[in-house]
Amino acid sequence: MISVRSLATDSKNQQKADVIVAGGGTAGIAAAVCAARDGAQTLLIERRGALGGMACNALVHTLCGLYLLRDDDTHPLAYSNEGFPREFAERLIAAGGASSPVRMGKLDVLPHDPTALAAVADNLTRRTPNLTVFLHTDLTRVETAAGQIQAVQLRSQGCAMEVSVKSLIDASGDAEAVALAGADFEVAPTDRLQRPAYIFGIGGALENALAGDARLKLAHLISSAVTSGHLSSEALGVAFRHGMGKSEIWATLDLQADPYDPCLPECLSRVESCGRRVSLEIIRFLRLHAPGFENAEITRTPLQAGIRESRRVSGVASLTGEDILHGRLGENPVALACWPLELRENARGARLRFPTENRPAGISLDCLRSRTYKNLFVAGRCISCTHEAQASIRVTGTCLATGEAAGKAAAAFSK
Amino acid sequence: MAENPAAIAEKEAKLLSIISSDILEIGPEFAVTDDLFEAGLDSMSIMRLLIQVETAFGSRIPVAQVNRENFSTVSKIVALIPVA
Ligand SMILES: Cc1cc2nc3c(=O)[nH]c(=O)nc-3n(C[C@H](O)[C@H](O)[C@H](O)COP(=O)(O)OP(=O)(O)OC[C@H]3O[C@@H](n4cnc5c(N)ncnc54)[C@H](O)[C@@H]3O)c2cc1C
């Protein structure tokens, strides 16, 4: 065991924190900053080298769920969660890491730059008193006794450290802390899990490479190449979209990945290598055959394939798809979900289910609390909800909101 | 040579059934003149549509004819399929 200077110690020289946040995605960033602002000595740990989770490392490049739904743009645009989600979006815009909101079909979204999002999170967490961030650090064990989490074991660069904790927030996306603690969780049947995707960035294409009917013509080129055997069939899962500026194009390659189990290393390995292989096939093909892509190249590769859904904690309460579709506010909601159910149970694109009259649904604190351990909170895409509801609440805007709520609740619990 | 109306109607019905069973979520009331893009057709689903058209009708629609206008309804797509 090693000890780290930035952590406080108790009378027995054990390192301690009031709140530990496991996972530094959008939910973990929000949870850690908000817990620390409420006075809790907070430690945010993140396995990879950057904060942001999927919205940085998997190259997700659009923040969804930040704004209330509206029929058309004659209605004013309004944030669905005024607290930390709004603050974070505004910081990102001010730093040039996000453009301004864009209307996509019936939805308003905020395109962002994945690296800039991580930098804004670095800056914000560094300037937040009471907050320590450890990157390249993995939560590896959770010690429990008497129905509570007592301590956690962390591992970084071959060194283990033990930290006692008053409350733990699982913002790992995959409910890893929940699983390590032996707390209850659920996973959808493998054929229903939302499918993963491999996102990569393309630079060097002409600015009009996606203009007018170009996207449909690209679809024709790719589908012909798949039929003739010049591209792998997985290429049929690709969609192209401009980044914040017209000079960058994002390619999102939805993968069927059967048999799919995002908690198994052999499956994740298969997804990563398939995404890598097909992304290279696609760029070679585009350079040779697609007008405007003659000098295109892959400018960004993801640090990990994008995982939309895996474990969900079993909480004190559980949000359902019906709650979202009927816009049920419930009593004392701590966060609002306002994204439609975005079902991606296969690699053929999204099916959207909109809530009645665009009403947002309330998420109660009980959906952010493990039913097994009372000092275990959960935020982000693995909160307590059904598979259907997860298709709405997984978006980053809602993750920021559940992060804020979990952070405040964990800080209050630790007092 | 113009194709006879019964043959066109048959092709339209076949394409509509392909689209409703495999490409888009459309109800039984969806008409061959209704807008496919409004019903959710996009650059990803059109790839499968093109492959299905080729399989079902034995011919490929040339890339020059692929545009939003030509693919906006079932009738317009059927008009692009070369007469066998
Ligand atoms: C392909 C794809 C496209 C998407 N598109 C959009 C979109 O356009 N707009 C949108 O808003 N949302 C989109 N989403 C959904 C959204 O990106 C994610 O659901 C959201 O970012 C999840 O945030 P999170 O903080 O809950 O989890 P994550 O972003 O998964 O973050 C969890 C973090 O925890 C870390 N971690 C996990 N376990 C441990 C551990 N044991 N120790 C230390 N660290 C750990 C991980 O490294 C990770 O950084 C998309 C998702 C995918 C996969």
Side-chain angles (χ1 to χ4, degrees):
Chain A
M1 294 288 164
I2 59 159
S3 48
V4 187
R5 243 176 301 144
S6 45
L7 290 182
T9 48
D10 63 17
S11 52
K12 286 179 256 153
N13 214 22
Q14 155 102 343
Q15 303 182 95
K16 62 172 188 176
D18 292 331
V19 174
I20 289 183
V21 181
T26 41
I29 296 164
V33 169
C34 295
R37 282 179 181 168
D38 279 2
Q41 290 298 325
T42 304
L43 174 61
L44 170 61
I45 59 158
E46 166 55 47
R47 168 181 295 157
R48 298 180 201 273
L51 298 176
M54 294 299 155
C56 171
N57 294 325
L59 299 179
V60 169
H61 45 270
T62 318
L63 302 182
C64 300
L66 282 174
Y67 310 104
L68 291 171
L69 294 173
R70 50 181 188 158
D71 283 333
D72 53 59
D73 43 23
T74 60
H75 298 78
L77 187 62
Y79 280 94
S80 41
N81 292 283
E82 283 288 338
F84 190 81
R86 177 180 185 152
E87 174 191 336
F88 193 74
E90 289 179 348
R91 283 178 186 274
L92 203 51
I93 294 169
S99 54
S100 41
V102 168
R103 185 101 178 140
M104 275 176 40
K106 289 198 264 179
L107 295 159
D108 296 287
V109 303
L110 184 65
H112 76 272
D113 178 274
T115 311
L117 183 141
V120 166
D122 285 338
N123 192 27
L124 176 60
T125 51
R126 192 171 50 238
R127 294 204 268 144
T128 302
N130 307 322
L131 176 57
T132 304
V133 178
F134 287 171
L135 302 180
H136 293 296
T137 303
D138 218 313
L139 175 79
T140 50
R141 212 160 64 174
V142 179
E143 314 280 354
T144 63
Q148 292 215 41
I149 312 282
Q150 306 289 342
V152 300
Q153 199 178 92
L154 311 177
R155 196 168 277 273
S156 182
Q157 306 296 105
C159 300
M161 38 194 143
E162 189 156 298
V163 185
S164 71
V165 67
K166 291 184 185 158
S167 55
L168 176 61
I169 301 176
D170 186 336
S172 67
D174 298 317
E176 289 197 22
V178 166
L180 287 167
D184 299 337
F185 62 82
E186 288 169 47
V187 195
T190 158
D191 58 325
R192 296 206 57 207
L193 279 168
Q194 310 297 340
R195 263 35 213 178
Y198 191 86
I199 304 178
F200 55 103
I202 298 176
L206 294 184
E207 285 202 358
N208 64 359
L210 296 183
D213 291 317
R215 231 182 282 249
L216 298 181
K217 293 192 187 290
L218 270 181
H220 182 284
L221 286 172
I222 292 174
S223 64
S224 305
V226 168
T227 328
S228 64
H230 291 90
L231 275 178
S232 300
S233 61
E234 287 90 350
L236 292 177
V238 76
F240 302 97
R241 188 196 279 174
H242 275 295
M244 278 169 56
K246 284 255 184 279
S247 60
E248 186 161 48
I249 291 173
W250 294 112
T252 299
L253 177 66
D254 276 347
L255 295 169
Q256 186 64 31
D258 286 337
Y260 183 52
D261 184 341
C263 298
L264 289 181
E266 47 270 62
C267 173
L268 289 177
S269 306
R270 186 160 40 76
V271 168
E272 298 284 357
S273 72
C274 176
R276 221 172 348 259
R277 172 176 57 79
V278 180
S279 68
L280 289 170
E281 274 183 30
I282 289 174
I283 195 73
R284 283 188 206 115
F285 176 82
L286 293 178
R287 286 172 67 101
L288 287 175
H289 301 286
F293 284 87
E294 294 77 4
N295 297 313
E297 53 194 3
I298 293 184
T299 46
R300 304 211 221 188
T301 45
L303 289 183
Q304 66 165 117
I307 303 300
R308 294 187 166 99
E309 180 189 10
S310 61
R311 302 182 194 98
R312 291 169 276 113
V313 69
S314 302
V316 177
S318 178
L319 188 75
T320 67
E322 292 294 303
D323 292 338
I324 305 243
L325 291 176
H326 293 111
R328 288 181 194 135
L329 267 186
E331 280 169 37
N332 305 320
V334 291
L336 294 183
C338 62
W339 193 251
L341 307 187
E342 182 181 327
L343 299 159
R344 290 179 177 270
E345 294 165 345
N346 56 49
R348 299 165 166 201
R351 284 186 298 137
L352 295 174
R353 297 268 183 282
F354 283 82
T356 322
E357 292 164 12
N358 291 335
R359 284 204 299 264
I363 302 174
S364 78
L365 185 59
D366 283 347
C367 296
L368 312 183
R369 291 170 52 209
S370 152
R371 71 178 181 205
T372 318
Y373 299 108
K374 62 181 182 197
N375 60 345
L376 177 55
F377 298 84
V378 181
R381 65 183 165 90
C382 54
I383 63 169
S384 177
C385 61
T386 61
H387 163 73
E388 286 75 20
Q390 202 271 354
S392 161
I393 62 84
R394 73 167 179 271
V395 292
T396 46
T398 316
C399 287
L400 288 165
T402 55
E404 172 175 11
K408 287 177 171 168
F413 187 92
S414 305
K415 291 224 166 100
Chain B
M1 187 190 72
E3 211 178 357
N4 79 58
I8 294 175
E10 196 183 312
K11 281 185 183 171
E12 288 177 345
K14 187 168 168 185
L15 183 57
L16 193 58
S17 105
I18 289 172
I19 292 177
S20 69
S21 62
D22 203 43
I23 315 271
L24 297 176
E25 290 193 305
I26 48 173
E29 72 291 347
F30 194 88
V32 295
T33 50
D34 285 346
D35 193 299
L36 290 167
F37 291 100
E38 266 169 32
L41 188 67
D42 59 16
S43 58
M44 194 193 279
S45 42
I46 208 168
M47 291 197 263
R48 276 179 303 115
L49 177 61
L50 288 163
I51 291 176
Q52 299 260 19
V53 165
E54 185 169 351
T55 316
F57 301 97
S59 57
R60 168 153 284 268
I61 296 168
V63 67
Q65 298 201 24
V66 175
N67 59 48
R68 210 182 152 94
E69 174 54 28
N70 281 350
F71 275 75
S72 58
T73 70
V74 168
S75 301
K76 288 179 184 170
I77 300 173
V78 164
L80 303 173
I81 300 171
V83 181

